[in-house]
Amino acid sequence: MTVRRTGAGVLLGLVASGCVYLNSLYNARQRFDDGERARIEGRSDEARVAYDDAVRKASASFRREPDGPWADDALYVLGRAYLRLGDHARALGALEAAAERADDPAVAAGARLYLGAARAQVGDHARARALLDEAVRDLADTDLAGEAHFWRGRLYLDEGRVGEGLSDLNRAQQVDPRLRIPVEFQRLAWGIAADDTVRALQAASGLLSDARAGMLADSIGALVGRAARRWGPGPAAALLAPTRTGDWPPGPRDRLLMQRVALLAQAGDTLAVESEAGWAAQGTTPGAEAARLVVAGIRLRRTEEVADLDAVRRVLLPAGGNPDVAALAADIRRVEVLDGWGATDDPLAWFVAAEVARDRLDAPRLARGLFLRFASEAPGSPWAGKAILAALATTPDPRSDPALRSGLEARRGDPYVAEARSESPAGPSLGDLEARLDGIVEALLARADAEALRRDLFLRGADTLGPGVS
């Protein structure tokens, strides 16, 4: 038997279907609005999740009734969400369809605005300009007036129309204060591209003083990297000078602060590096751990005595759980143990300690002293010449150390010295000496590791010392 649905049944079915459809569209709008709030407030991860949800819900709504009365609204939500996610190709398709199909003038005008933005993003400047000019005119008294000026300002700057572009950006921020962060970011990008250091510094200061800009940390870092390639590391580092005093969350703040430290190091400003890294090291964030490694590296490079290594270890202790910190601390312990053995057991331990200081601690002054101590205490060792050559290599200008060079003159028959002078060596071959030395070094390092573990200096000290950088 065939059962026919009554008119009332059909009507109820349509109402139920419509409710599901409208509910899906309502949820899509809500999630897009959630994304807008999160974006403006600097919560980038939450914004992306919300926009993804809006895409999913708007797509479901549109697929359910692609020819329904609310399809244009679904496409409008979908296109804007794609634009915020950076998917410009999909944004173009959805916004074009929304603009063509919209029977609500507000939806049609908004779709054309964002369609102009999407066209600008893909380089279609001519059609983008027409749409954005229209948006600035038609949306002047709406909530979208700021966005219209913002996108047209970006387009003008891309086209080299600087005065008009900056004027539009200023107007965007005046009309809609929520656009302050994206406007400042565009000013920074333009200032770097135009080599306008004053405007770039002003924009960077504006961004770094506002916690909401933390969501742009990686993008700001990329712009600063571009500035470093154009202007050099020093001026680029100046863009990040306000990082320390800003109110950013620790993660993005520390990333930019460490970028500033790296740029200052490239510029050779050691005092500023230690100051900035020392400030960043106060705390327990991953950025603080990285900063402690920087401070330790600076101090190691100017360390001349083994006794000074304890001060470096105190810098590292609060970050002991970091694998890089633990490895550096272990190498410090190796040098300390080997130095003690050099005085009481075998002078060759000084040579091994010097190689660890040079190759793993990056402490050239300390390495130089240890190499020379070995050569002085064991002048008859077959590796004394190698130690003197190594000490010379760690001297900024070997020609300025006549005492070392005269010491080499006295060892003209030494195989290592002869090799360095391209002369015929006397005595054992270098291959035999290196093979013997490798075995001795391996054995001494194994013993040193066992002794360092027994003493457990690092782990015992970590329980009692405070987190400060002294």
Side-chain angles (χ1 to χ4, degrees):
M1 181 178 68
T2 301
V3 178
R4 297 174 60 88
R5 298 181 66 184
T6 65
V10 172
L11 178 60
L12 288 174
L14 289 172
V15 170
S17 174
C19 286
V20 171
Y21 170 68
L22 290 176
N23 186 60
S24 179
L25 178 58
Y26 173 80
N27 289 336
R29 287 172 173 165
Q30 286 294 104
R31 290 303 286 151
F32 179 79
D33 290 342
D34 291 342
E36 292 288 87
R37 281 191 295 274
R39 178 179 63 86
I40 290 168
E41 293 169 6
R43 295 176 280 115
S44 56
D45 291 341
E46 292 180 39
R48 177 165 287 276
V49 170
Y51 290 137
D52 282 334
D53 288 346
V55 164
R56 187 174 65 257
K57 293 177 185 298
S59 297
S61 177
F62 179 75
R63 286 195 301 270
R64 189 171 287 116
E65 289 196 40
D67 297 316
W70 300 96
D72 57 336
D73 294 78
L75 289 167
Y76 183 43
V77 174
L78 189 61
R80 287 180 295 161
Y82 277 137
L83 180 65
R84 296 303 193 206
L85 290 168
D87 192 339
H88 302 129
R90 286 192 172 95
L92 281 171
L95 291 166
E96 282 178 346
E100 290 172 1
R101 300 172 60 163
D103 53 13
D104 182 338
V107 172
R112 286 194 295 272
L113 160 63
Y114 291 109
L115 179 59
R119 289 201 179 283
Q121 292 297 94
V122 298
D124 187 357
H125 287 188
R127 285 196 283 182
R129 193 183 314 110
L131 287 164
L132 293 174
D133 284 343
E134 174 189 326
V136 168
R137 182 185 66 245
D138 295 346
L139 298 172
D141 297 323
T142 73
D143 291 341
L144 293 178
E147 287 258 6
H149 281 286
F150 172 75
W151 287 106
R152 192 175 71 172
R154 287 187 60 172
L155 176 63
Y156 280 158
L157 289 179
D158 287 343
E159 292 181 332
R161 299 166 65 175
V162 175
E164 294 163 290
L166 293 177
S167 176
D168 258 334
L169 290 181
N170 291 337
R171 183 61 179 158
Q173 186 175 337
Q174 291 168 3
V175 171
D176 189 349
R178 297 174 302 172
L179 293 172
R180 176 179 182 272
I181 298 304
V183 165
E184 291 286 21
F185 182 80
Q186 292 305 315
R187 288 174 177 149
L188 175 61
W190 177 82
I192 292 170
D195 293 323
D196 188 331
T197 56
V198 173
R199 288 188 187 273
L201 286 166
Q202 291 172 343
S205 178
L207 289 168
L208 295 171
S209 65
D210 193 320
R212 296 173 300 170
M215 66 181 292
L216 296 174
D218 292 340
S219 298
I220 292 171
L223 287 180
V224 172
R226 190 180 303 168
R229 292 188 291 274
R230 294 179 70 92
W231 305 338
L239 292 173
L240 297 176
T243 304
R244 186 197 291 196
T245 56
D247 192 29
W248 276 29
R253 179 201 65 201
D254 289 351
R255 290 201 301 276
L256 288 191
L257 190 56
M258 293 311 297
Q259 183 179 10
R260 170 169 162 79
V261 166
L263 289 168
L264 289 169
Q266 292 174 32
D269 193 344
T270 305
L271 289 177
V273 169
E274 188 162 12
S275 172
E276 294 286 63
W279 183 88
Q282 308 298 321
T284 57
T285 65
E289 294 176 356
R292 287 182 179 275
L293 282 167
V294 171
V295 174
I298 292 171
R299 297 187 181 184
L300 283 169
R301 281 188 286 278
R302 62 179 184 234
T303 292
E304 296 185 0
E305 300 293 337
V306 173
D308 296 333
L309 292 176
D310 187 57
V312 178
R313 180 175 24 252
R314 290 175 181 273
V315 172
L316 296 170
L317 282 175
N322 182 298
D324 293 332
V325 170
L328 185 60
D331 287 326
I332 288 175
R333 294 200 305 277
R334 289 186 182 100
V335 170
E336 291 171 328
V337 170
L338 289 164
D339 176 61
W341 289 347
T344 61
D345 186 10
D346 182 355
L348 195 58
W350 279 321
F351 181 91
V352 180
E355 288 198 323
V356 174
R358 179 194 63 195
D359 300 338
R360 300 170 77 160
L361 296 184
D362 191 20
R365 297 181 183 181
L366 177 60
R368 181 178 187 275
L370 290 167
F371 279 129
L372 292 178
R373 190 176 306 169
F374 164 65
S376 174
E377 295 297 324
S381 167
W383 298 287
K386 181 182 176 79
I388 295 174
L389 288 167
L392 268 172
T394 62
T395 302
D397 182 0
R399 293 170 298 180
S400 67
D401 205 329
L404 280 184
R405 301 190 69 79
S406 64
L408 289 178
E409 290 294 332
R411 305 185 65 87
R412 295 185 68 89
D414 183 288
Y416 290 97
V417 176
E419 175 74 12
R421 294 173 175 274
S422 299
E423 298 174 354
S424 298
S429 70
L430 279 180
D432 291 340
L433 287 174
E434 285 295 286
R436 286 172 55 195
L437 181 61
D438 287 345
I440 295 170
V441 169
E442 185 177 346
L444 280 172
L445 285 175
R447 283 179 55 206
D449 285 345
E451 176 63 15
L453 182 62
R454 186 186 68 80
R455 296 181 187 182
D456 201 18
L457 294 173
F458 181 67
L459 295 177
R460 291 179 189 275
D463 293 333
T464 58
L465 294 174
V469 176
S470 58

